[in-house]
Amino acid sequence: MNLPNKLTVFRVILIIPFVCILLGFSQTSWGKWVALGIFIVASLTDLLDGKIARKYNLVTNFGKFMDPLADKLLVSAAMICLVEMGLLPAWMVIVIISREFVISGFRLIASDNGVVIAASYWGKFKTTFQMIMICLLIANLSALSLINLIVTWIALVLTVVSLVDYLMKNKDVMKDTK
């Protein structure tokens, strides 16, 4: 259990207080800001664990599996909370989470065929915009409502573009080679 893996596990653990505070105390003067702080810390661990793992050659099979799963859990939990709070339409969250299931399944099939599908720049942009979107929606500042709307739509478009990009670049994975 090296440092990058500990950061990944920490990110998963942070989901619990994040969700509890966001849903339980977001109407208080401090609740949404504490939840936002937890989300930002959890998001930053995503940046740190990968950089540390690559820089110090600490890449593990656990990390390869858990890091993207931790990201999906954090972002999905946040978006589901935002639907509950009436800040994000459910249909958008369904599209975004569905993309994650499709890519995960695609990667599983590829792995079964001995192919590793690396994260693309589109996928990284998608994740960045989703995290920015979540931060803006948690803050829920009326002065930023137009920016919130624009960033939300950019995150959705990048979700679809990154899905199409993955499928097009890796369409041979779906061919039955056995």
Side-chain angles (χ1 to χ4, degrees):
M1 188 56 67
N2 60 34
L3 180 58
N5 291 342
K6 288 177 183 176
L7 288 170
T8 298
V9 170
F10 181 61
R11 182 162 64 257
V12 172
I13 292 169
L14 283 178
I15 294 169
I16 296 167
F18 165 71
V19 168
C20 291
I21 292 169
L22 184 61
L23 291 180
F25 300 100
S26 65
Q27 299 305 316
T28 66
S29 60
W30 59 271
K32 74 177 180 182
W33 300 112
V34 171
L36 178 59
I38 293 170
F39 183 81
I40 290 169
V41 168
S43 297
L44 291 175
T45 66
D46 181 30
L47 288 173
L48 282 175
D49 64 6
K51 287 185 185 296
I52 293 169
R54 286 184 295 278
K55 182 175 181 178
Y56 296 104
N57 197 25
L58 297 172
V59 176
T60 65
N61 286 335
F62 177 84
K64 287 179 191 175
F65 173 75
M66 280 304 296
D67 180 62
L69 182 59
D71 298 341
K72 288 170 181 45
L73 289 171
L74 176 64
V75 170
S76 296
M79 288 189 296
I80 291 167
C81 289
L82 292 168
V83 169
E84 173 74 17
M85 297 166 67
L87 298 172
L88 194 60
W91 72 267
M92 282 187 174
V93 175
I94 291 167
V95 169
I96 291 169
I97 292 175
S98 295
R99 180 255 184 222
E100 301 305 332
F101 275 104
V102 169
I103 295 300
S104 294
F106 207 70
R107 283 189 164 142
L108 188 61
I109 292 167
S111 175
D112 192 43
N113 291 325
V115 176
V116 175
I117 299 177
S120 73
Y121 286 107
W122 286 113
K124 291 177 183 184
F125 290 142
K126 177 244 351 153
T127 300
T128 300
F129 268 89
Q130 285 177 356
M131 289 182 171
I132 292 168
M133 171 193 75
I134 290 166
C135 289
L136 288 170
L137 292 175
I138 291 171
N140 195 22
L141 300 173
S142 58
L144 299 177
S145 60
L146 180 60
I147 292 171
N148 292 356
L149 183 64
I150 291 167
V151 169
T152 299
W153 279 98
I154 291 171
L156 182 67
V157 168
L158 287 173
T159 296
V160 174
V161 167
S162 67
L163 172 64
V164 171
D165 180 60
Y166 271 107
L167 296 177
M168 296 303 292
K169 285 182 178 173
N170 300 288
K171 61 183 174 255
D172 292 340
V173 167
M174 296 306 286
K175 293 180 181 171
D176 192 9
T177 57
K178 294 182 180 183

